[in-house]
Amino acid sequence: MAETEFVIEPGRQDIVIKRVFDAPPDAVFEAFTDAEAVARWMGPRGYTLSIDRWDPKTGGSYRYETSGPEGTDAFHGSFHEVAAPRRIVQTFEWEGLPGHVTLETAEFQELEGGRTRYVGTSVFQSVEDRDGMAASGMQQGVNEGFEKLDEILASR
Protein backbone atom coordinates (compact mmCIF):
# COMPACT_ATOMS: atom_id res chain seq x y z
CA MET A 1 0.00 0.00 0.00
CA ALA A 2 1.27 3.46 -0.90
CA GLU A 3 1.95 5.87 1.91
CA THR A 4 1.13 9.54 1.93
CA GLU A 5 3.83 11.96 3.05
CA PHE A 6 2.76 15.17 4.79
CA VAL A 7 5.25 18.02 5.03
CA ILE A 8 4.11 20.42 7.76
CA GLU A 9 7.03 22.56 8.88
CA PRO A 10 6.71 24.81 11.95
CA GLY A 11 6.07 28.48 11.23
CA ARG A 12 5.18 28.00 7.54
CA GLN A 13 1.82 28.67 5.88
CA ASP A 14 1.78 25.58 3.67
CA ILE A 15 1.14 21.88 3.77
CA VAL A 16 2.70 19.66 1.11
CA ILE A 17 1.20 16.23 0.46
CA LYS A 18 3.04 13.61 -1.61
CA ARG A 19 1.92 10.19 -2.75
CA VAL A 20 2.63 7.74 -5.56
CA PHE A 21 -0.33 6.13 -7.34
CA ASP A 22 -0.10 2.93 -9.38
CA ALA A 23 -1.75 4.51 -12.42
CA PRO A 24 -0.59 6.85 -15.19
CA PRO A 25 -1.03 10.64 -14.82
CA ASP A 26 -4.01 10.82 -17.18
CA ALA A 27 -5.96 8.31 -15.05
CA VAL A 28 -5.10 10.07 -11.78
CA PHE A 29 -5.88 13.48 -13.29
CA GLU A 30 -9.25 12.18 -14.51
CA ALA A 31 -10.05 10.91 -11.01
CA PHE A 32 -9.35 14.42 -9.69
CA THR A 33 -11.57 16.13 -12.27
CA ASP A 34 -14.44 13.68 -12.91
CA ALA A 35 -17.32 14.57 -10.59
CA GLU A 36 -18.50 10.98 -10.11
CA ALA A 37 -14.99 9.78 -9.26
CA VAL A 38 -14.37 12.71 -6.89
CA ALA A 39 -17.63 11.98 -5.07
CA ARG A 40 -16.50 8.37 -4.58
CA TRP A 41 -13.00 8.96 -3.21
CA MET A 42 -12.65 12.40 -1.65
CA GLY A 43 -12.83 12.50 2.13
CA PRO A 44 -12.67 10.02 4.96
CA ARG A 45 -14.43 6.68 5.04
CA GLY A 46 -17.90 6.85 6.53
CA TYR A 47 -18.63 10.18 4.85
CA THR A 48 -20.62 10.86 1.69
CA LEU A 49 -19.82 13.68 -0.67
CA SER A 50 -22.53 15.30 -2.76
CA ILE A 51 -21.55 17.72 -5.47
CA ASP A 52 -23.70 20.79 -6.09
CA ARG A 53 -21.47 22.29 -8.77
CA TRP A 54 -18.36 20.89 -10.46
CA ASP A 55 -16.84 22.66 -13.47
CA PRO A 56 -13.16 21.61 -13.57
CA LYS A 57 -11.85 23.98 -16.20
CA THR A 58 -9.75 27.12 -15.96
CA GLY A 59 -12.17 29.74 -14.65
CA GLY A 60 -14.65 27.12 -13.43
CA SER A 61 -15.88 26.60 -9.89
CA TYR A 62 -17.15 23.94 -7.52
CA ARG A 63 -19.23 23.41 -4.41
CA TYR A 64 -19.83 20.21 -2.49
CA GLU A 65 -21.04 18.97 0.87
CA THR A 66 -19.72 16.18 3.01
CA SER A 67 -21.95 14.33 5.45
CA GLY A 68 -20.83 11.94 8.14
CA PRO A 69 -21.00 11.05 11.83
CA GLU A 70 -19.98 14.56 12.84
CA GLY A 71 -22.49 16.39 10.64
CA THR A 72 -22.50 18.16 7.31
CA ASP A 73 -19.95 20.63 6.00
CA ALA A 74 -19.85 22.54 2.72
CA PHE A 75 -16.85 23.67 0.70
CA HIS A 76 -16.41 25.72 -2.44
CA GLY A 77 -13.74 27.24 -4.63
CA SER A 78 -12.60 28.31 -8.07
CA PHE A 79 -10.40 26.51 -10.57
CA HIS A 80 -7.61 28.90 -11.55
CA GLU A 81 -5.76 26.49 -13.86
CA VAL A 82 -6.71 23.05 -15.11
CA ALA A 83 -3.99 21.68 -17.40
CA ALA A 84 -4.54 17.99 -18.21
CA PRO A 85 -2.90 15.75 -17.15
CA ARG A 86 -0.30 17.55 -15.13
CA ARG A 87 -1.64 20.40 -12.97
CA ILE A 88 -4.68 21.82 -11.17
CA VAL A 89 -4.64 25.13 -9.28
CA GLN A 90 -7.73 25.96 -7.26
CA THR A 91 -8.97 27.73 -4.17
CA PHE A 92 -10.60 25.91 -1.27
CA GLU A 93 -12.86 27.41 1.37
CA TRP A 94 -14.80 25.76 4.17
CA GLU A 95 -18.15 27.53 4.44
CA GLY A 96 -18.04 27.09 8.22
CA LEU A 97 -15.16 29.58 8.36
CA PRO A 98 -15.73 32.01 5.51
CA GLY A 99 -12.90 34.24 4.37
CA HIS A 100 -10.14 31.73 5.15
CA VAL A 101 -9.28 30.70 1.60
CA THR A 102 -6.54 28.24 0.72
CA LEU A 103 -4.71 28.18 -2.63
CA GLU A 104 -4.10 24.58 -3.67
CA THR A 105 -1.85 23.25 -6.41
CA ALA A 106 -1.99 19.59 -7.49
CA GLU A 107 0.79 18.32 -9.74
CA PHE A 108 0.87 14.91 -11.40
CA GLN A 109 4.35 13.71 -12.39
CA GLU A 110 4.84 10.67 -14.61
CA LEU A 111 7.02 7.92 -13.13
CA GLU A 112 8.41 4.74 -14.65
CA GLY A 113 6.10 1.76 -14.68
CA GLY A 114 2.94 3.70 -15.45
CA ARG A 115 2.85 5.35 -12.03
CA THR A 116 2.22 8.92 -10.94
CA ARG A 117 3.74 11.06 -8.22
CA TYR A 118 1.13 13.43 -6.82
CA VAL A 119 2.39 16.57 -5.10
CA GLY A 120 -0.29 18.75 -3.54
CA THR A 121 0.59 22.09 -1.99
CA SER A 122 -1.92 24.06 0.07
CA VAL A 123 -1.00 27.63 0.99
CA PHE A 124 -3.00 29.16 3.84
CA GLN A 125 -3.55 32.81 4.65
CA SER A 126 -1.76 32.47 7.99
CA VAL A 127 0.24 30.02 10.05
CA GLU A 128 -2.74 29.84 12.44
CA ASP A 129 -5.06 28.76 9.59
CA ARG A 130 -2.50 26.15 8.52
CA ASP A 131 -2.05 24.86 12.06
CA GLY A 132 -5.83 24.67 12.48
CA MET A 133 -6.14 22.52 9.37
CA ALA A 134 -3.24 20.32 10.47
CA ALA A 135 -4.95 19.76 13.85
CA SER A 136 -8.38 19.05 12.30
CA GLY A 137 -7.82 15.40 11.44
CA MET A 138 -7.02 16.36 7.86
CA GLN A 139 -4.27 13.76 7.55
CA GLN A 140 -6.61 10.88 8.37
CA GLY A 141 -9.19 12.18 5.90
CA VAL A 142 -6.63 12.55 3.13
CA ASN A 143 -5.18 9.09 3.81
CA GLU A 144 -8.59 7.42 3.75
CA GLY A 145 -9.58 9.35 0.62
CA PHE A 146 -6.41 8.32 -1.19
CA GLU A 147 -6.99 4.69 -0.15
CA LYS A 148 -10.40 4.90 -1.84
CA LEU A 149 -8.75 6.50 -4.88
CA ASP A 150 -6.28 3.59 -5.03
CA GLU A 151 -9.27 1.22 -5.13
CA ILE A 152 -10.90 3.17 -7.96
CA LEU A 153 -7.68 3.31 -9.99
CA ALA A 154 -7.09 -0.43 -9.48
CA SER A 155 -10.58 -1.25 -10.77
CA ARG A 156 -10.09 0.54 -14.11
Side-chain angles (χ1 to χ4, degrees):
M1 174 186 296
E3 291 193 23
T4 304
E5 177 185 357
F6 296 87
V7 180
I8 306 172
E9 297 179 0
R12 293 183 52 100
Q13 291 177 232
D14 61 0
I15 296 175
V16 179
I17 301 171
K18 301 175 182 178
R19 185 178 176 108
V20 173
F21 292 99
D22 288 328
D26 59 337
V28 179
F29 183 88
E30 181 181 340
F32 271 75
T33 54
D34 178 76
E36 286 185 31
V38 169
R40 290 175 53 204
W41 70 262
M42 188 178 287
R45 294 189 188 279
Y47 281 76
T48 58
L49 188 146
S50 60
I51 294 177
D52 298 327
R53 181 178 63 250
W54 190 259
D55 187 15
K57 65 182 182 189
T58 299
S61 63
Y62 68 89
R63 184 182 187 280
Y64 60 82
E65 293 183 357
T66 60
S67 299
E70 297 180 18
T72 299
D73 290 297
F75 306 87
H76 68 268
S78 300
F79 292 102
H80 289 242
E81 179 184 355
V82 179
R86 56 182 173 71
R87 183 175 158 98
I88 301 169
V89 180
Q90 66 185 53
T91 59
F92 173 86
E93 184 174 5
W94 173 43
E95 293 180 0
L97 193 59
H100 295 264
V101 181
T102 305
L103 182 63
E104 301 181 330
T105 302
E107 297 180 294
F108 308 92
Q109 303 163 350
E110 185 172 8
L111 299 176
E112 290 184 15
R115 298 175 308 137
T116 301
R117 178 185 320 280
Y118 163 82
V119 178
T121 304
S122 298
V123 180
F124 296 80
Q125 291 179 313
S126 68
V127 173
E128 291 76 22
D129 282 358
R130 193 285 307 259
D131 289 349
M133 177 62 82
S136 71
M138 172 269 308
Q139 293 178 37
Q140 178 180 349
V142 169
N143 275 323
E144 291 179 5
F146 282 171
E147 289 170 7
K148 292 187 288 184
L149 178 54
D150 281 337
E151 294 164 9
I152 290 170
L153 293 169
S155 69
R156 292 185 172 190

